[in-house]
Amino acid sequence: MNAPSNSAIADRLRIVLVGTQHPGNIGSAARAMKTMGLSKLVLVAPEKAPDRDTHAMAAGADDLVEAAPVFASLADAVADCQWVLGATARSRRIQLEPLHPRDAASRAVVAAAGGPVALVFGRERTGLDNEELQLCHAAVHIPSDPAFSSLNLAAAVQVLSYELRCALLGDAEGAVERVRTPPPGEGAASHAELEGFFGQLAETLEQIDFHKGRAPESAMRKLRRLYLRANLDGAEIRLLRGVLADAQRMARLAGQASDREKIG
Ligand code: SAH
């Protein structure tokens, strides 16, 4: 096993805690991560800042908490990520491809060879909201008892960090090789590039009156799933945005022509 290169991959695996309500859980999550060789903890709008409870529960993993950047929104926290995985306690609410922790972990390690990867955890009471789940490329569900499916936040971080470690140790050679030799071309698009594309797509669908009075959410959800499955790279995003820009131009011209007709 090649420890330094292995840890280079671990450094690209980011654990993101969204809207954490109990500061103690931030400490427990940091400890869970550190035992599994992970160090990149990121906080999104925690309800309370890390405090004494955090440090008591961190029990020696305080360095992760101290180094943790705090973002105002999940979109900001994952803007540079290539792959974003949302951990969810309830499988029925998921509109994304739900993965088993083991598969999710190996895919995360493979994706981390190309750039940063985020594993996102929700609030203790309510989990991740729909808007936050929309920002995720896939969901992971720990197959708990459906009658009592919700793990404590830090316990969920522990289980998934363990799976990431197993994936890393099991595939150390392969993953290390992939990091040394990045895939040809420019690699997968970043989260921000994808969101820019989805924004323009939503705008275009409005302009060409695609929805015809139907709620736009359902079509956008399906289109997001389709494009996320395609694993687009930066050049492909630019190509698609070029197509949309032309469609938008045509829609504007058609609009102007029909205005002239009304006036005339
Ligand atoms: N009542 C909330 C549970 C939140 S538990 C709900 O039903 O959504 C806090 C977080 O821990 C969740 O948002 C999720 O990220 C993680 N978590 C808890 N149980 C999980 C499970 N079985 N699988 C995956 N993640 C889980």
Side-chain angles (χ1 to χ4, degrees):
M1 193 179 73
N2 186 332
S5 301
N6 218 8
S7 78
I9 302 170
D11 279 350
R12 293 177 179 184
L13 299 170
R14 182 180 304 176
I15 300 288
V16 183
L17 305 184
V18 179
T20 310
Q21 289 154 328
H22 301 288
N25 276 336
I26 298 176
S28 302
R31 179 180 184 179
M33 288 170 62
K34 195 165 176 174
T35 56
M36 296 297 130
L38 300 177
S39 64
K40 296 284 184 274
L41 174 64
V42 171
L43 305 178
V44 173
E47 258 186 31
K48 289 188 203 137
D51 61 8
R52 282 178 51 180
D53 283 350
T54 311
H55 290 285
M57 298 307 281
D62 308 75
D63 51 331
L64 272 63
V65 177
E66 264 138 40
V70 181
F71 289 92
S73 74
L74 178 58
D76 292 340
V78 300
D80 61 332
C81 288
Q82 294 229 323
W83 202 52
V84 180
L85 186 61
T88 165
R90 285 173 291 179
S91 49
R92 64 191 147 78
R93 218 181 54 184
I94 307 175
Q95 290 142 356
L96 294 155
E97 176 194 0
L99 295 169
H100 183 277
R102 207 143 296 166
D103 301 328
S106 20
R107 280 180 59 173
V109 166
V110 170
V117 166
L119 183 43
V120 183
F121 294 82
R123 299 158 189 83
E124 291 89 334
R125 267 196 302 276
T126 53
L128 295 167
D129 66 28
N130 281 337
E131 213 173 293
E132 288 156 353
L133 277 170
Q134 286 269 308
L135 293 172
C136 299
H137 299 162
V140 56
H141 174 68
I142 299 163
S144 44
D145 186 337
F148 195 68
S149 66
S150 173
L151 277 76
N152 160 267
L153 169 61
V157 171
Q158 184 76 75
V159 170
L160 293 174
S161 300
Y162 167 74
E163 290 293 350
L164 287 172
R165 182 162 181 81
C166 289
L168 261 173
L169 294 177
D171 188 30
E173 289 304 311
V176 167
E177 257 329 293
R178 282 191 295 274
V179 165
R180 283 210 206 99
T181 12
E186 59 180 306
S190 72
H191 197 269
E193 283 173 312
L194 276 164
E195 287 307 313
F197 164 65
F198 286 134
Q200 191 181 353
L201 179 59
E203 222 176 72
T204 310
L205 294 182
E206 291 287 341
Q207 287 161 352
I208 63 173
D209 192 26
F210 175 77
H211 304 298
K212 303 188 182 53
R214 292 179 303 251
E217 288 77 22
S218 157
M220 269 315 287
R221 246 196 324 270
K222 288 176 192 149
L223 286 164
R224 285 181 76 98
R225 202 158 48 195
L226 184 157
Y227 283 113
L228 288 174
R229 207 167 52 224
N231 200 17
L232 300 166
D233 66 26
E236 288 163 337
I237 292 267
R238 284 194 293 281
L239 173 67
L240 286 170
R241 293 197 67 159
V243 173
L244 292 180
D246 275 357
Q248 289 179 301
R249 193 168 47 79
M250 298 301 285
R252 265 196 305 274
L253 288 174
Q256 284 161 7
S258 91
D259 284 350
R260 268 198 303 276
E261 240 165 63
K262 277 184 214 144
I263 294 166

